[in-house]
Amino acid sequence: MSVLRSVVLGCGSYLPNRIVSNDELARSVDTTDEWIVQRTGIRERHVAAAGEVTSDLAIHAARAALAHAHVDADSIDLIVLGTSTPDQTFPATAVTVQAALGITGGVAFDLQAVCSGFVFALSVADAMLRSGTHKRALVIGAETFSRILDWNDRTTCVLFGDGAGAVVLEAQEQAGTSADRGILTTHLRSDGRHRAKLYVDGGVSSTQTTGHLRMEGREVFKHAVAMITDVIEDAFKATGTSAADIDWFVPHQANKRIIDGSAHKLGIAPDKVVITVDRHGNTSAASIPLALADAVADRRIKRGNLILLEAMGGGFTWGSVLLRW
């Protein structure tokens, strides 16, 4: 019996022009290029220009994804934007993107799950497409984390960057097997007991300020590899697949040591792992679509490939998506 699947039609990305190297950061905080690379794998990150806001990045990525998919903006009836750094408290940054693209129908809204934002957004869009209520979706991850960093805190300011990535999804009839194109399964988790390990110390209701990112780095690292295993094992069980079937592993780009540890624990060969953290830093909800677009642009990811996505973010939130390109 056939089923509806959310099939990826195209993807796109955008990075701000300004590149900040480790050496540049070392001139303002007590750190070194060697220290940053050894502990994180990060060599540089992009930072939004003055006046450049999250919606600007998202619009660029969305237009690139639409062009890659060869579809018109007015065919989109659903926009889900994962971000923790919206332009304003309200309205949703997604409606700014919607208006900029000239879309006047359908629905657009933001989703906040920090670094898991894109995986959560994909899951929500997938559910809405499979329900039959919508036909074609634009799913975006976009962040300007540079606006919530304490640039005097060397333990956090070296880790993050700005950017945006997007994919176009379309509901299509498929055979209902693991050989189908599109999203095969999604699995999400959260555990608020760990919220104080990675958070922003401000907010509308609490301090009436934006605040700065705060993190217990060792605690986050300790939990990161262990916590993602269950959602990935669930993805394999749901589809009758295994690590050996994966063509590409596209994890959240937070820290190369976490990525390497996760791949090793899952039994995924290093040459199947897409890594962009060295050039982008941690771009939170934007990191997975940025990595996807990078691997599609250089033709590593090809039609028919089985792709595993995973992310973990503040909260804690974590999740996986298994899809066939």
Side-chain angles (χ1 to χ4, degrees):
M1 185 176 71
S2 65
V3 299
L4 278 178
R5 299 280 196 198
S6 303
V7 175
V8 179
L9 300 184
C11 61
S13 64
Y14 176 77
L15 291 162
N17 290 328
R18 186 187 171 200
I19 296 174
V20 177
S21 67
N22 291 344
D23 286 334
E24 181 176 345
L25 286 177
R27 292 195 289 270
S28 58
V29 293
D30 183 17
T31 191
T32 65
D33 174 70
E34 181 182 22
W35 188 92
I36 298 170
V37 172
Q38 283 184 350
R39 286 162 177 78
T40 69
I42 299 169
R43 297 184 180 277
E44 60 186 29
R45 71 286 294 148
H46 292 249
V47 173
E52 190 174 36
V53 295
T54 296
S55 63
D56 294 324
L57 278 58
I59 291 163
H60 283 297
R63 285 177 173 151
L66 290 167
H68 185 244
H70 302 292
V71 300
D72 294 328
D74 60 11
S75 71
I76 300 294
D77 58 4
L78 171 64
I79 300 175
V80 186
L81 193 157
T83 188
S84 297
T85 51
D87 292 1
Q88 300 163 289
T89 302
F90 70 83
T93 300
V95 301
T96 301
V97 175
Q98 182 191 39
L101 295 176
I103 301 170
T104 57
V107 62
F109 58 91
D110 291 355
L111 184 153
Q112 211 274 56
V114 200
C115 298
S116 302
F118 185 73
V119 166
F120 275 54
L122 273 182
S123 182
V124 169
D126 175 53
M128 294 177 74
L129 291 177
R130 286 188 294 104
S131 75
T133 60
H134 297 79
K135 176 64 178 174
R136 190 173 282 171
L138 187 59
V139 182
I140 308 168
E143 303 282 16
T144 49
F145 256 52
S146 61
R147 306 283 159 74
I148 56 171
L149 295 178
D150 178 351
W151 289 98
N152 295 312
D153 179 4
R154 68 169 186 163
T155 65
T156 56
C157 75
V158 303
L159 301 178
F160 295 90
D162 301 335
V167 298
V168 177
L169 299 177
E170 182 180 76
Q172 294 184 7
E173 295 246 348
Q174 298 284 313
T177 72
S178 61
D180 289 353
R181 285 192 69 207
I183 294 176
L184 302 177
T185 190
T186 68
H187 300 270
L188 307 178
R189 303 279 191 279
S190 60
D191 188 343
R193 293 175 299 173
H194 302 289
R195 59 179 298 277
K197 292 178 173 62
L198 177 56
Y199 68 103
V200 169
D201 61 3
V204 175
S205 178
S206 56
T207 65
Q208 296 80 58
T209 64
T210 303
H212 293 112
L213 185 148
R214 305 299 179 193
M215 181 173 68
E216 297 178 21
R218 290 183 179 178
E219 285 296 303
V220 173
F221 185 91
K222 183 176 73 174
H223 285 275
V225 175
M227 294 182 82
I228 64 166
T229 304
D230 64 336
V231 289
I232 292 175
E233 289 179 345
D234 284 352
F236 290 152
K237 289 175 185 175
T239 56
T241 58
S242 69
D245 299 311
I246 299 300
D247 291 299
W248 293 103
F249 178 42
V250 187
H252 168 50
Q253 306 288 312
N255 181 308
K256 190 174 184 300
R257 291 165 63 201
I258 294 174
I259 294 170
D260 290 345
S262 301
H264 177 75
K265 186 171 183 178
L266 293 166
I268 298 174
D271 60 0
K272 291 184 175 182
V273 182
V274 176
I275 295 178
T276 58
V277 69
D278 55 325
R279 291 171 284 134
H280 302 163
N282 182 347
T283 54
S284 190
S287 82
I288 287 178
L290 278 168
L292 271 173
D294 191 76
V296 169
D298 65 18
R299 301 184 183 277
R300 277 177 288 173
I301 291 179
K302 301 176 178 64
R303 181 165 175 167
N305 282 173
L306 188 62
I307 314 295
L308 174 63
L309 315 179
E310 68 82 10
M312 175 188 165
F316 284 151
T317 60
W318 68 103
S320 69
V321 174
L322 189 64
L323 65 92
R324 192 170 299 279
W325 200 257

